[in-house]
């Protein structure tokens, strides 16, 4: 019998989904923010988005917003986007540049260092006023690290390092040949999806839906071909999950909209890699799809219980991007179309999950075994005591 | 003129050898590949027809569907196509299947492309 991904692990079974309310209840949403989102490493974008001192990008997670900026020493810093005076949001753009690296509040022009977050100036307050010490009012910093060209943030001041959390470099060793640190952003798109964040990740954790909603993806990498799983010798962690590789259909040359080759294969890939697309998932919110001539990343951020913001990144060889008339639409369209299909499906699931008849949830099949693993991860995190 | 790569040049058209006549029985279909395309080749009332092998709606291999007279039913959502001209007889598909010219000669089946 033809089956998705060539089958499932022997211990995969039928089990309940989350109850419907887990996808819309404000109480659950807040608990997830506290226990998961503000405790784990999250992908905040690419280093090349903020190449120069003072460049910044912002990240919205529910009601919180963070500034990610490059300091004068070249390091990436991240702060809560909140002035320490009266609490105004400091910058409302998705990205921009702080002149001379200073973050200035639009309300009363308090000025902070983008390097350290220290308050450098509070206009009209006498310097000699003994009742006011600027050093007591710095921006609140959050942890940030970089890896392979990606910027990662963690809101939890007690969080383990990225290396520890991701078991780097061992867990990442099989992806080193893609040399993602040298790739550059060719396209970025933002999507607003009217669905709970878990539905988007759960959707990414199975390919049962692929033949039904992804004709383009399925024609290129037929979902009933056995998946190439990653061996046990490459470690996973609580949040780093290897999802194997899908194989190109015979005679297709690239994983894109028409199967034609528009760009050379990345240097350093094996002949075997050329005919595959490898998938790496980072719980709770992102996946990295490594094709032979581009990399696509999706990172999801919860906005409301029933709304999620997704940032899509397409990375290419810098030599390709530097060329006049460089062609990247085949890769951009491929994942833009596939993503829209995923978001549409997730929005339908959100609508159904809000029904009375789904209050006890539904059923996960053995084909949904990775959804079951994601569910276990979420459950375990929510059970953790502080 | 038949060349060693299994293709037949007729004027400006290239035909690819896909099957022997005896491998496509009356009322049956097989899946073949021509270039990058997956096709189904079927015999109905003695004539051999070739159309897209993947449904024009979702991703489904039509060879796993059913052939009833000239009607080809997709196994996934039961869209129905006329295998003679690829037209949609019944939805949910709304795009026809591409049709490929077929030559059956001396026990060999050739498809244009």
């Amino acid at each position: 019998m033809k089956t998705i991904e060539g089958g499932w692990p022997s211990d995969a079974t039928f089990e309940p989904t989350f109850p419907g309310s887990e996808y819309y209840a404000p109480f659950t949403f807040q608990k997830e923010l506290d226990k998961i989102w503000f405790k784990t490493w999250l992908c905040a974008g690419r280093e090349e988005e903020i190449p120069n001192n003072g460049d910044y990008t912002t990240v919205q997670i529910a009601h919180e917003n963070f500034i990610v900026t490059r300091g004068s020493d070249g390091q990436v810093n991240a702060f809560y986007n909140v002035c320490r005076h009266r609490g105004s949001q400091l910058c409302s753009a998705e990205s921009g540049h702080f002149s001379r690296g200073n973050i200035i509040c639009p309300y009363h022009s308090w000025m902070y260092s983008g390097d350290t977050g220290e308050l450098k100036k509070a206009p009209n307050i006498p310097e000699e006023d003994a009742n006011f010490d600027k050093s007591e009012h710095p921006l609140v910093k959050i942890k940030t690290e970089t890896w392979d060209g990606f910027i990662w943030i963690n809101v939890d001041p007690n969080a383990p390092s990225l290396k520890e959390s991701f078991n780097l470099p061992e867990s990442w060793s099989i992806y080193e040949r893609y040399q993602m640190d040298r790739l550059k952003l060719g396209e970025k798109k933002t999507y607003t999806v009217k669905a709970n964040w878990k539905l988007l990740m759960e959707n990414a954790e199975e390919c049962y839906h692929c033949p039904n909603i992804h004709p383009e993806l399925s024609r290129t990498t037929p979902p009933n071909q056995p998946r190439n799983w990653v061996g046990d010798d490459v470690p996973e962690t609580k949040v780093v999950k290897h999802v194997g590789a899908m194989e190109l259909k015979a005679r297709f040359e690239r994983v894109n909209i028409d199967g034609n080759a528009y760009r050379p294969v990345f240097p350093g890939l094996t002949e075997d890699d050329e005919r595959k697309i490898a998938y790496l998932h980072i719980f709770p919110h992102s996946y990295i799809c490594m094709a032979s001539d581009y990399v696509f990343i999706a990172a999801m951020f919860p906005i409301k219980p029933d709304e999620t913001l997704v940032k899509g990144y397409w990375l290419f060889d810098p030599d390709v991007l530097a060329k006049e008339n460089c062609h990247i639409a085949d890769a951009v369209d491929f994942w833009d179309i596939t993503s829209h299909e995923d978001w549409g499906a997730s929005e339908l699931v959100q609508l159904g999950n809000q029904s009375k008849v789904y209050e006890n949830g539904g059923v996960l099949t053995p084909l949904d075994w990775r959804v079951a693993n994601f569910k276990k991860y979420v459950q375990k995190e929510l059970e953790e005591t502080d | 003129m038949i060349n060693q790569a299994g293709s037949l040049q007729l004027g400006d058209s290239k035909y690819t050898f896909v099957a022997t006549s005896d491998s496509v029985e009356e009322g049956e279909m097989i899946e073949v590949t021509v270039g990058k395309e997956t096709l189904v080749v079927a015999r109905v009332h003695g004539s051999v027809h070739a159309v897209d092998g993947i449904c024009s709606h979702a991703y489904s291999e039509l060879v796993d569907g059913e052939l009833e007279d000239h009607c080809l039913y997709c196994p996934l959502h039961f869209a129905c196509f006329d295998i003679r001209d690829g037209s949609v007889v019944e939805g949910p598909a709304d795009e026809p299947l591409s049709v490929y010219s077929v030559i059956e000669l001396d026990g060999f089946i050739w498809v244009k492309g």
Side-chain angles (χ1 to χ4, degrees), chain A residues 205-218:
Chain A
E205 295 303 327
E206 48 96 351
C207 207
Y208 191 3
H209 68 271
C210 292
N212 303 285
I213 72 166
H214 297 315
E216 304 80 7
L217 177 77
S218 301

Side-chain angles (χ1 to χ4, degrees), chain B residues 30-50:
Chain B
I30 62 167
E31 189 178 81
V32 301
T33 305
V34 175
K36 279 198 297 192
E37 303 302 326
T38 299
L39 275 56
V40 289
V41 173
R43 186 184 300 279
V44 181
H45 302 318
S47 300
V48 178
H49 303 274

